[in-house]
Amino acid sequence: MIVLGLETSCDETAAAIVRRGADGTGELLANQILSQIDHEAYGGVVPELAARAHVTHLDALIAAALSEAKLDFTDLDGIAATAGPGLIGGVLVGLMTAKGLAFAHGLPLIGVNHLEGHALTARLTDEAPFPYLLLLVSGGHCQLLVVEGVGRYERLGTTIDDAVGEAFDKTAKMMGLGYPGGPAVEKAAASGDATRFALPRPLTGREGCDFSFSGLKTAVRKALLDLEEVSPQDKADLAASFQKAVGDILARQTGKALEMAGARLGPTPRLVVAGGVAANRYLRTRLEELCQERGAQLIVPPPKLCTDNGAMIAWAGAERLALGLSDPLDIAARARWPLTELAAS
Ligand code: KG4
Ligand code: ZN
């Protein structure tokens, strides 16, 4: 089964092609991505600019993906596109393009939930079998879910305020490290002293495995204000202290989620980490340590498939199509679409 997938829900325009074998194995045949950089000057993504850029570039990326895979539309078995959640103008561009292509070529359309794309990527890259615990850490989300199957998610915890990627982005912005913030903070942190600043670990001692990052962000702001002049070493130390706090929070709450999920994860529990923040090497190490302590297996897709990409959408589309699931041409684009609402759709 060969599926073309389009991703346009934020500031990456992407088109990719995957093959899914009858045995569930996957192969990435083409992976085209264009990261929009025009937003840097604004310190964040400007939705209208992003949507216009998707319109400008998507057709060429689709053509490049077909040529990379040495395939034609007639070789495809389905067209998938992100149908939400995300910036609605961008989601509409990808979804309407997919609808047009599906209609013109008589192919099934699969409207993919972007979060399901992140959630299932480890099955493409590492053949991760169900069930597994998923830590989804991106620019818009921070959630812990038990993934039982395609469309079958139970949420154990979520952020009550900011997403973890957002905390990285805002921290970078306050320190003038540029956008996107995650990689910039990671780079600065590499030469910093993580013990220099005492930053809070919100929700310590509270039951459950929800997250909170807004207090941490405020503490970073306060630490910056307390410094008279901010030197590059101050920035490095603060970035390292911030990253360590995030590592402590993620490890603690993920540890609790492993306990909460308990026997549902089977004798050798698996932890899959997905979303842009999973590209962070320090955080990977912290989660690796947690998994070693708990006798669990850690699965993290390669960094370029952790941040937004078309392969995750093509793959989620292929997984759905393999189950006989596709969508009508009037499926709506959705700005908000929690994973836990997916089973019923
Ligand atoms: O999954 P993603 O590409 O887009 C969303 O669906 O949100 O995630 C983007 C987020 C951004 O907040 C970015 O700063 C963060 O992932 N990110 C990182 C790293 N690379 C990307 N955060 C920490 N360390 C990184 N190396
Ligand atoms: Zn994403």
Side-chain angles (χ1 to χ4, degrees):
M1 188 167 283
I2 301 180
V3 175
L4 167 71
L6 312 180
E7 159 58 33
T8 56
S9 67
C10 193
D11 58 346
E12 257 94 27
T13 317
I17 300 173
V18 300
R19 187 204 313 268
R20 186 185 186 280
D23 57 356
T25 54
E27 194 188 342
L28 185 52
L29 303 180
N31 194 24
Q32 295 288 327
I33 180 155
L34 184 87
S35 298
Q36 304 175 6
I37 46 161
D38 336 1
H39 304 287
E40 203 171 334
Y42 303 94
V45 179
V46 183
E48 182 59 27
L49 288 183
R52 284 167 192 254
H54 293 311
V55 172
T56 308
H57 300 295
L58 188 55
D59 285 350
L61 283 166
I62 294 169
L66 285 167
S67 132
E68 184 188 346
K70 299 190 178 59
L71 294 174
D72 206 299
F73 281 112
T74 52
D75 300 310
L76 302 179
D77 297 294
I79 312 266
T82 301
L87 300 173
I88 197 69
V91 175
L92 276 168
V93 174
L95 188 58
M96 295 308 288
T97 304
K99 285 181 181 184
L101 291 174
F103 181 68
H105 299 284
L107 292 168
L109 168 77
I110 310 101
V112 172
N113 179 302
H114 179 89
L115 304 176
E116 179 160 69
H118 281 305
L120 299 178
T121 300
R123 292 172 53 74
L124 165 67
T125 57
D126 297 85
E127 292 175 29
F130 295 126
Y132 48 82
L133 179 70
L134 172 72
L135 172 64
L136 177 59
V137 276
S138 71
H141 300 272
C142 188
Q143 305 186 351
L144 281 157
L145 302 122
V146 178
V147 180
E148 276 159 0
V150 174
R152 291 168 53 208
Y153 305 92
E154 192 203 328
R155 198 167 75 191
L156 301 180
T158 186
T159 180
I160 57 169
D161 41 55
D162 294 347
V164 61
E166 197 180 345
F168 268 95
D169 293 336
K170 287 180 178 165
T171 293
K173 197 171 175 180
M174 286 188 273
M175 294 200 280
L177 293 177
Y179 176 87
V185 170
E186 181 174 14
K187 190 157 169 253
S191 54
D193 172 6
T195 61
R196 176 163 160 212
F197 292 93
L199 300 174
R201 274 72 171 149
L203 304 189
T204 302
R206 190 163 124 163
E207 251 184 63
C209 57
D210 283 339
F211 299 91
S212 167
F213 293 101
S214 74
L216 180 57
K217 179 186 67 189
T218 309
V220 169
R221 175 170 295 134
K222 192 169 173 308
L224 280 169
L225 289 173
D226 288 348
L227 293 165
E228 278 177 15
E229 245 174 72
V230 186
S231 70
Q233 192 57 49
D234 292 333
K235 286 186 190 178
D237 293 346
L238 192 51
S241 304
F242 165 82
Q243 192 171 253
K244 179 160 192 304
V246 173
D248 287 350
I249 295 165
L250 292 183
R252 184 191 65 207
Q253 299 306 72
T254 307
K256 278 205 227 168
L258 281 169
E259 275 162 35
M260 283 164 75
R264 270 189 294 162
L265 297 177
T268 315
R270 281 175 292 275
L271 169 66
V272 170
V273 191
V277 182
N280 183 292
R281 272 153 303 186
Y282 169 77
L283 298 177
R284 279 185 193 218
T285 310
R286 294 295 308 270
L287 294 165
E288 185 70 65
E289 285 164 10
L290 172 77
C291 284
Q292 265 167 18
E293 267 169 36
R294 303 296 178 94
Q297 186 197 353
L298 179 71
I299 303 173
V300 191
K304 75 173 177 19
L305 295 180
C306 284
T307 47
D308 288 350
N309 62 85
M312 66 191 233
I313 304 304
W315 177 253
E319 292 252 66
R320 294 203 144 243
L321 206 53
L323 295 172
L325 300 169
S326 65
D327 294 291
L329 285 176
D330 65 354
I331 181 182
R334 297 174 64 168
R336 214 188 138 269
W337 189 6
L339 260 188
T340 41
E341 277 178 22
L342 206 55
S345 67

